[in-house]
Amino acid sequence: MRRVLNSYANRMRLKILAPFRGKNEIVPLIESGVDEFYCGYLDPEWEVTYSSLEFERKGGGSNFTDLQELRASVRLAHRKGVPVFVTVNGLYVKAQYPLLLKIIKKLKTLDADGFIVADMGVLLTLRKQGFKEQIHISTGGTVFNSEAARFYKDWGASRIILD
C-alpha cells in the first residue's frame, strides 16, 4: 500500500499530511505512508482566557495540551525524517493577538517545520514581524482557485493545503 501511495504522490507531487496526537502514533503512521504530520496545541492560558474552541486544531482530535510532550513528538518525527507542522487554525480578533503571539513564540521553540494558519490577519502579522518559518494556509483558508492561491503566496504563504 505504501508503495502505491508513494508512487501516486510522486507523480502528482502530493504529500500525505496526517494529524497525530501522541508519540505512539508516529511510527505506525510513517509505516502507513505519511509524509508529513500536523497537530494543534491548546495552551492552558488560552483555554482559561478564551476557551478551547478558538486555538486548537478543529475537531479536537489532534491537539496537545502538554508542550513537553509535543516537543518530544516533534523530535521523534524528525529523527524519522518526517516534518511536523503546528496548526494555528482559529479566526482571531485583534484583542487576542498578544496572547496568540506569545503562544506562537513558545511553539517556535519546538523546532517544528512551520505553521498552518487559516486567518489572513495571522499570516500578515507573522510576516510583518519577520517570522521566517514556513506558513501554510489551512483548508480553513478557503482556497478555491488559482487566484486565491496566488493571493496567499503574494502575502507570504509557503504552501496551500487543499481539502
Side-chain angles (χ1 to χ4, degrees):
M1 180 66 156
R2 181 180 171 94
R3 190 172 0 155
V4 171
L5 286 174
N6 283 340
S7 173
Y8 181 75
N10 287 335
R11 282 186 284 123
M12 300 304 293
R13 294 191 203 172
L14 298 175
K15 292 185 179 185
I16 299 171
L17 176 67
F20 76 108
R21 62 177 167 240
K23 277 190 341 186
N24 60 329
E25 296 179 351
I26 291 173
V27 172
L29 285 167
I30 291 170
E31 289 171 351
S32 296
V34 167
D35 299 300
E36 299 177 342
F37 288 114
Y38 69 95
C39 62
Y41 171 69
L42 182 56
D43 189 276
E45 187 176 358
W46 185 272
E47 189 170 26
V48 167
T49 306
Y50 294 112
S51 88
S52 65
L53 299 176
E54 297 169 346
F55 196 87
E56 64 187 81
R57 186 184 89 66
K58 298 302 182 204
S62 295
N63 297 300
F64 286 79
T65 55
D66 181 318
L67 197 61
Q68 296 313 315
E69 181 185 349
L70 177 52
R71 183 181 319 283
S73 297
V74 169
R75 285 182 181 147
L76 175 59
H78 283 168
R79 280 196 304 272
K80 299 290 184 183
V82 178
V84 177
F85 298 91
V86 180
T87 61
V88 182
N89 258 352
L91 300 174
Y92 307 98
V93 297
K94 195 151 186 98
Q96 294 172 317
Y97 275 42
L99 180 54
L100 176 67
L101 294 171
K102 178 182 171 184
I103 294 167
I104 290 171
K105 187 175 181 180
K106 270 195 238 182
L107 292 170
K108 284 176 66 173
T109 69
L110 298 172
D111 293 323
D113 297 276
F115 291 85
I116 299 172
V117 304
D119 189 310
M120 181 67 177
V122 173
L123 170 68
L124 295 176
T125 299
L126 292 175
R127 289 302 187 216
K128 186 183 239 184
Q129 292 190 356
F131 190 83
K132 301 292 184 210
E133 286 79 4
Q134 290 185 52
I135 300 176
H136 299 176
I137 301 301
S138 128
T139 56
T142 60
V143 177
F144 296 119
N145 57 45
S146 61
E147 288 302 313
R150 191 175 356 266
F151 173 81
Y152 278 115
K153 182 180 178 196
D154 289 346
W155 285 101
S158 341
R159 185 166 83 181
I160 309 293
I161 299 171
L162 301 174
D163 219 354

